């Protein structure tokens, strides 16, 4: 027989027990009648006892198992908690640009740009320095061009700013300079360290430090892009540099032996490096921040030689 404690977990046990009792009494009476008749007519007058199994079977069949009820009637609270936890945890997303000043909001074009975006205006300060022979961290080499500037480290962005033209405005005056150098700390984000010649067109050198607004420019230039391989370059290792590009460069790729394009990492000194020699001396593809691509073929690995390409990015 099931124990009392087991029956206490059944649904509505009292009503089902009452029905079972009626069935039990009726069954016992019928069995007793049959047994008495059998005994009466047995020639040997045997005294076999009736088995209680039928009555017990009747009670068991009247009381079905309820072991499955808890799972169907009581859904697991753990699943509910997991669902709430999952819905309460926001999906990570890219940092919002709303925290930036409105002037630094990304423009509709130039999706490959870094910190310096086309169509955005940046406010900062300008200082000045002696540019010497015109060379700088961008490794462009000596130059007679004095309308240049060094970009603060944050906006220099591992040489992404190299070669960019920016328009600088202060006190109603405006100049255009090309980024050829990096200005480390104490230069801060937004700061430009102008050549003395460029600074003097905005304010007297004695001013030392002035407030400026500046923005990216896609100028009207007649030069075309050139390519230079770094000293020590060969078909086993090479550094490649693009010179004279109108718009900031976003990528430099080389075509490998299997015909695919390999994007080379850019060093802080403004060379794209192929450490294993893949693509050295092969076809080169340049991409500016606007997504325009220029493909250059037929340039041999000639260290330090400036090789013309005859192509240039479109003006924006």
């Amino acid at each position: 027989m099931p124990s009392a404690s087991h029956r206490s977990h059944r649904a509505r046990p009292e009503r089902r027990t009452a029905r079972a009792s009626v069935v039990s009494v009726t069954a016992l009476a019928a069995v007793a009648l049959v047994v008495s008749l059998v005994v009466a007519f047995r020639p040997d007058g045997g005294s076999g006892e009736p088995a209680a199994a039928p009555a017990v079977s009747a009670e068991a069949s009247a009381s079905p198992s309820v072991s499955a009820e808890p799972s169907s009637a009581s859904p697991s609270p753990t699943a509910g908690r997991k669902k709430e936890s999952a819905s309460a945890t926001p999906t990570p997303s890219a940092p919002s640009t709303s925290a930036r000043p409105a002037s630094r909001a990304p423009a509709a074009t130039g999706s490959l740009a870094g910190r310096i975006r086309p169509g955005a205006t940046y406010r900062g300060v300008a200082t000045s320095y002696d540019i010497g022979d015109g060379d700088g961290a961008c490794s462009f080499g000596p130059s007679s061009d004095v309308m240049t500037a060094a970009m603060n480290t944050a906006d220099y962005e591992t040489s992404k700013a190299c070669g960019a033209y920016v328009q600088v405005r202060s006190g109603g005056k405006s100049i255009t300079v090309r980024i050829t150098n990096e200005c480390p700390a104490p230069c801060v984000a937004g700061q430009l360290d102008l050549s003395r010649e460029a600074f003097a067109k905005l304010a007297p050198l004695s001013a030392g430090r002035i407030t400026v607004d500046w923005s990216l420019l896609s100028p009207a230039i007649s030069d075309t892009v050139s390519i230079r391989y770094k000293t020590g370059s060969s078909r086993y290792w090479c550094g490649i540099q693009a010179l004279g590009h109108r718009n900031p460069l976003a990528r430099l790729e080389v075509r490998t032996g299997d015909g695919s394009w390999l994007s080379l990492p850019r060093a802080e000194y403004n060379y794209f490096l192929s450490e294993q020699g893949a693509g050295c001396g092969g076809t080169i593809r340049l991409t500016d921040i606007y997504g325009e691509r220029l493909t250059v073929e037929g340039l041999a690995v000639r260290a330090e030689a400036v090789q013309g390409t005859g192509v240039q990015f479109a003006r924006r």
Side-chain angles (χ1 to χ4, degrees):
M1 292 283 291
S3 65
S5 61
H6 178 74
R7 287 200 306 268
S8 66
H9 292 288
R10 296 175 182 174
R12 297 183 295 181
E14 294 180 1
R15 182 176 298 178
R16 290 186 178 179
T17 301
R19 291 177 181 174
S21 299
V22 173
V23 172
S24 178
V25 171
T26 304
L28 288 175
V31 170
L33 177 60
V34 171
V35 170
S36 61
L37 291 175
V38 171
V39 171
F41 287 97
R42 286 182 62 178
D44 56 357
S47 59
E49 297 180 357
V56 174
S57 298
E59 183 177 347
S61 63
S63 305
S65 171
V66 293
S67 61
E69 288 184 11
S71 61
S72 60
S74 304
S76 170
T78 305
R81 284 197 297 271
K82 285 182 179 178
K83 184 176 181 180
E84 290 174 4
S85 175
S87 61
T89 304
T91 302
S93 58
S96 172
T97 57
S98 60
R100 295 182 176 184
S103 62
R104 299 184 70 94
T109 58
S111 60
L112 296 178
R115 288 174 58 89
I116 304 175
R117 307 290 184 89
T121 298
Y122 302 87
R123 169 158 291 190
V125 297
T127 49
S128 67
Y129 79 110
D130 182 359
I131 63 172
D133 64 2
D135 197 4
C138 292
S139 306
F140 290 141
S143 172
S144 58
D145 181 9
V146 296
M147 295 302 289
T148 61
M151 182 65 73
N152 67 84
T153 297
D155 294 320
Y156 181 78
E157 202 173 1
T158 317
S159 78
K160 285 184 179 179
C162 285
Y165 289 87
V166 295
Q167 185 177 41
V168 188
R169 298 169 294 275
S170 180
K173 298 178 180 180
S174 175
I175 60 172
T176 297
V177 295
R178 185 170 64 106
I179 305 302
T180 61
N181 209 346
E182 177 185 8
C183 183
C187 276
V188 297
Q191 183 172 348
L192 293 172
D193 204 18
L194 304 173
S195 68
R196 291 177 183 271
E197 293 83 354
F199 188 97
K201 291 182 180 294
L202 296 176
L205 290 176
S206 59
R209 185 184 184 96
I210 59 175
T211 300
V212 296
D213 290 336
W214 56 272
S215 56
L216 190 63
L217 188 67
S218 181
I221 57 176
S222 58
D223 292 342
T224 57
V225 178
S226 297
I227 296 294
R228 177 166 57 195
Y229 279 93
K230 195 178 187 309
T231 301
S233 293
S234 69
R235 63 190 181 93
Y236 302 106
W237 178 94
C238 65
I240 308 173
Q241 183 183 57
L243 304 166
H245 42 86
R246 187 196 310 270
N247 305 319
L249 205 60
R251 281 197 299 263
L252 187 150
E253 302 165 281
V254 292
R255 192 186 292 278
T256 61
D258 63 2
S260 62
W261 289 103
L262 174 66
S263 181
L264 300 183
R266 191 175 196 169
E268 62 182 5
Y269 50 86
N270 195 35
Y271 273 88
F272 294 82
L273 306 180
S274 179
E275 299 285 0
Q276 306 303 320
C280 294
T283 304
I284 298 171
R285 186 165 71 181
L286 309 173
T287 306
D288 70 3
I289 62 172
Y290 300 95
E292 183 181 357
R293 292 173 176 170
L294 302 177
T295 301
V296 181
E297 298 177 310
L299 298 182
V301 179
R302 296 168 54 197
E304 292 303 315
V306 177
Q307 304 182 63
T309 67
V311 293
Q312 180 61 270
F313 292 114
R315 189 179 183 187
R316 305 289 175 172

